[in-house]
Amino acid sequence: MPETWWRGAAIYQVYPRSFADGNGDGVGDLAGLRARLGHLADLGIDAIWLNPWYPSPLADGGYDVADYRDIHPSFGTLAEAEALIAEAHERGIRVIVDVVPNHTSDQSAWFKAALAAGPGSPERARFWFRPGVGEGPPNDWQSIFGGPAWTQVPDGEWYLHLFAPEQPDFNWTHPDVHADFLDVLRFWFDRGVDGIRIDSAAVLVKDPDAAPDGLDPYTDRDGCHDIYRAWRALTDTYEGRMLIGEVWLPDAERLARYLRPDELHTVFNFPFLGAPWNAPSLRAVIDDTFATLGDAPATWVLSNHDVTRPVTRYGREDTSFDHADRGHGRPTDPALGLRRARAAALLALALPGSVYVYQGEELGLPEVEDLPDEVLDDPIWTRSGHTDRGRDGCRVPLPWSGDAPPFGFGGTPWLPQPPEWKNLTVEAQRADPDSVLALYRTALRLRRELLGDGTLTWLDLGEDVLAFTRESGVTCLVNLGSEAIPFTGEVLLSSAPVPDGVLPQDTAVWLR
């Protein structure tokens, strides 16, 4: 692929704990991933993005990083990571790793030193330590995971954590923080990593002591852009490397600032992910995306490790997604959800830009909503007072083969797999030409040959139909209405049978 490979790439998200277990301990690891690279090559993806694989106490699934320059022992070793990068490159697969710059682990060397050094020390200046107000915290900020965003230490000071208490926030006004993360980027680029995904990219800069200035006190502060200009300058010294930001912002103009030519290469398209399954909403998001991005490529995302899986979400009465209300336990029609998820896949894969596929999406896995309370691992479950079951339902380990758990995953999985997944294994779906896996493999092959980045031209087939043509001559039709519609053209691929030139409800087709 060209050195701007990210513009049209199909990128597969690997949640390492749940992908494949190579040593039989029930936790996914690098040995398992290396053994399954053939699946990813056969699928037809261009790159993999790995969620954090660093040493961590795993208070938040690895997003509480204790050491940014090593590998968690349960996943393997740094040498194995380097071997994975090399083996992926041999198969034509690029590698993107997660970097978590907003916070670290409370078990990191820096934070332990800060606790030991005491109030007013240089070590504490790397974090947000503050005296309380009366008997309470410095201010009323709330954690994104629920509860106060401040935790008190034995000497009376409080430290800031926008997420879990085990994840103290860095103070990005401190030069040590800037210098250390530039070194982290060098460390991984020097080992052949092709891209960096930046976690919680818009919340790095904050000032708990500042008077209100009309802006969010810790989201999208202007200082974030100085950080990413420095990161981009470093990244550009390496050939063919890219930065992608996790930026959740409702203001399109503010979002676009992160994509200026000297900042990030791409950002995730969360409005598309959260849009309900209706044509006007999806058309508006697609149009807004292109209007917002300028020269930066679009990214199309249906799910990830934080989001209810599409098969479940699209089977509900409310098909949108919002982190504030994941809809746990709401009735869902699995057959309807699967039909819509198949159609949504063809829509996302036909759009210009890059596309992300979260592991298990290619198998049509549903959200696991009946995990026993005692196995729930997400800190949202405890921080919410056991009112929000969190994100574990989309993180259940993948089924590879066999008729019963662990379905070829390895040892007994760290989260239990539903027995009914026996029909959704990779092995079972490889033998079925009508499976979700077969749909994704064909779609990704055609996408690489005929689609990727570029432009589209909308066609008017009614308000309930999304219809557009790509410059290669491929036309995508998605019927989100209640009535079947006629069409003409050679069928390249469809998400469901399209007999006699008629496109049924909740069905997508690629034509030429």
Side-chain angles (χ1 to χ4, degrees):
M1 298 182 73
E3 292 311 318
T4 54
W5 57 271
W6 57 83
R7 295 194 65 92
I11 301 168
Y12 186 96
Q13 181 187 352
V14 173
Y15 192 74
R17 295 177 77 192
S18 299
F19 185 74
D21 169 21
N23 65 6
D25 66 356
V27 176
D29 50 36
L30 296 183
L33 175 54
R34 292 169 67 190
R36 300 290 186 177
L37 281 176
H39 169 71
L40 300 180
D42 291 345
L43 187 60
I45 54 92
D46 301 305
I48 54 175
W49 154 38
L50 293 104
N51 288 103
W53 54 0
Y54 312 107
S56 166
L58 300 177
D60 180 25
Y63 281 89
D64 48 321
V65 178
D67 183 349
Y68 294 83
R69 298 171 183 83
D70 205 350
I71 299 297
H72 195 291
S74 69
F75 296 151
T77 65
L78 184 58
E80 287 181 278
E82 292 170 340
L84 167 68
I85 294 166
E87 290 163 9
H89 287 170
E90 288 172 2
R91 293 179 177 269
I93 298 173
R94 312 220 184 206
V95 178
I96 300 167
V97 299
D98 233 319
V99 168
V100 187
N102 178 69
H103 48 263
T104 186
S105 166
D106 63 352
Q107 299 304 304
S108 67
W110 271 14
F111 193 72
K112 287 181 176 179
L115 290 180
S121 63
E123 291 83 358
R124 287 203 177 182
R126 296 167 174 160
F127 302 93
W128 291 110
F129 279 89
R130 290 291 182 273
V133 175
E135 296 184 359
N139 61 34
D140 61 358
W141 291 4
Q142 295 295 296
S143 162
I144 293 167
F145 285 168
W150 297 90
T151 289
Q152 193 171 30
V153 299
D155 58 41
E157 284 203 320
W158 300 71
Y159 69 88
L160 176 66
H161 51 86
L162 290 186
F163 295 88
E166 295 88 353
Q167 296 167 289
D169 282 24
F170 286 114
N171 175 5
W172 272 92
T173 68
H174 199 292
D176 286 358
V177 178
H178 284 266
D180 196 60
F181 272 95
L182 287 172
D183 188 68
V184 168
L185 266 59
R186 290 188 197 95
F187 182 90
W188 290 109
F189 284 147
D190 287 344
R191 278 153 183 78
V193 161
D194 302 282
I196 301 292
R197 181 263 188 187
I198 306 163
D199 181 68
S200 300
V203 300
L204 273 58
V205 176
K206 68 268 299 185
D207 187 351
D209 304 319
D213 58 8
L215 300 176
D216 187 298
Y218 53 74
T219 302
D220 190 34
R221 307 286 292 191
D222 287 345
C224 288
H225 299 286
D226 295 331
I227 296 167
Y228 298 130
R229 288 188 187 98
W231 286 27
R232 178 62 178 267
L234 171 63
T235 302
D236 285 349
T237 66
Y238 293 84
E239 187 175 5
R241 313 303 170 89
M242 58 87 77
L243 301 171
I244 179 167
E246 182 195 26
V247 183
W248 293 82
L249 291 177
D251 186 321
E253 291 185 6
R254 300 288 298 187
L255 177 67
R257 298 174 72 213
Y258 290 84
L259 293 167
R260 289 177 288 198
D262 60 347
E263 294 192 42
L264 306 181
H265 295 87
T266 64
V267 295
F268 285 112
N269 191 339
F270 293 117
F272 182 77
L273 179 154
W277 183 250
N278 68 68
S281 296
L282 287 165
R283 170 69 184 266
V285 167
I286 294 167
D287 285 340
D288 289 347
T289 296
F290 292 125
T292 297
L293 295 180
D295 187 53
T299 61
W300 308 105
V301 189
L302 293 174
S303 66
N304 62 35
H305 63 293
D306 292 330
V307 173
T308 304
R309 286 193 177 274
V311 169
T312 298
R313 188 169 80 244
Y314 287 144
R316 293 173 175 163
E317 182 177 357
D318 180 359
T319 53
S320 64
F321 177 79
D322 188 336
H323 280 291
D325 184 3
R326 294 180 177 82
H328 291 301
R330 288 180 188 163
T332 185
D333 180 335
L336 176 63
L338 179 59
R339 185 179 184 89
R340 289 173 170 172
R342 290 173 64 106
L346 290 198
L347 169 62
L349 290 164
L351 290 166
S354 58
V355 66
Y356 284 76
V357 177
Y358 175 51
Q359 64 178 45
E361 217 175 281
E362 81 278 19
L363 304 177
L365 297 185
E367 188 85 356
V368 182
E369 297 196 288
D370 59 353
L371 290 169
D373 290 357
E374 61 270 19
V375 305
L376 294 178
D377 188 66
D378 191 342
I380 290 176
W381 171 238
T382 53
R383 294 284 292 174
S384 68
H386 297 168
T387 60
D388 185 336
R389 294 180 65 81
R391 302 158 293 178
D392 289 323
C394 66
R395 300 175 176 183
V396 174
L398 296 188
W400 290 95
S401 61
D403 295 326
F407 295 121
F409 172 73
T412 301
W414 67 280
L415 288 174
Q417 303 155 311
E420 55 269 26
W421 278 11
K422 66 181 181 181
N423 298 318
L424 301 179
T425 67
V426 173
E427 180 182 57
Q429 295 200 40
R430 276 184 181 151
D432 180 2
D434 297 321
S435 67
V436 179
L437 179 58
L439 179 75
Y440 268 83
R441 290 178 68 174
T442 303
L444 285 164
R445 175 179 58 80
L446 291 172
R447 184 181 186 277
R448 178 176 286 179
E449 295 172 358
L450 301 172
L451 299 169
D453 194 25
T455 61
L456 65 75
T457 301
W458 287 109
L459 306 174
D460 185 6
L461 297 182
E463 66 177 6
D464 290 327
V465 181
L466 293 174
F468 56 87
T469 297
R470 298 294 307 277
E471 58 268 38
S472 63
V474 175
T475 295
C476 176
L477 308 180
V478 189
N479 183 6
L480 294 94
S482 59
E483 302 293 333
I485 61 167
F487 68 87
T488 58
E490 176 193 356
V491 175
L492 295 174
L493 184 62
S494 61
S495 62
V498 286
D500 304 320
V502 175
L503 187 64
Q505 180 182 9
D506 295 321
T507 304
V509 65
W510 291 359
L511 307 168
R512 66 178 174 189

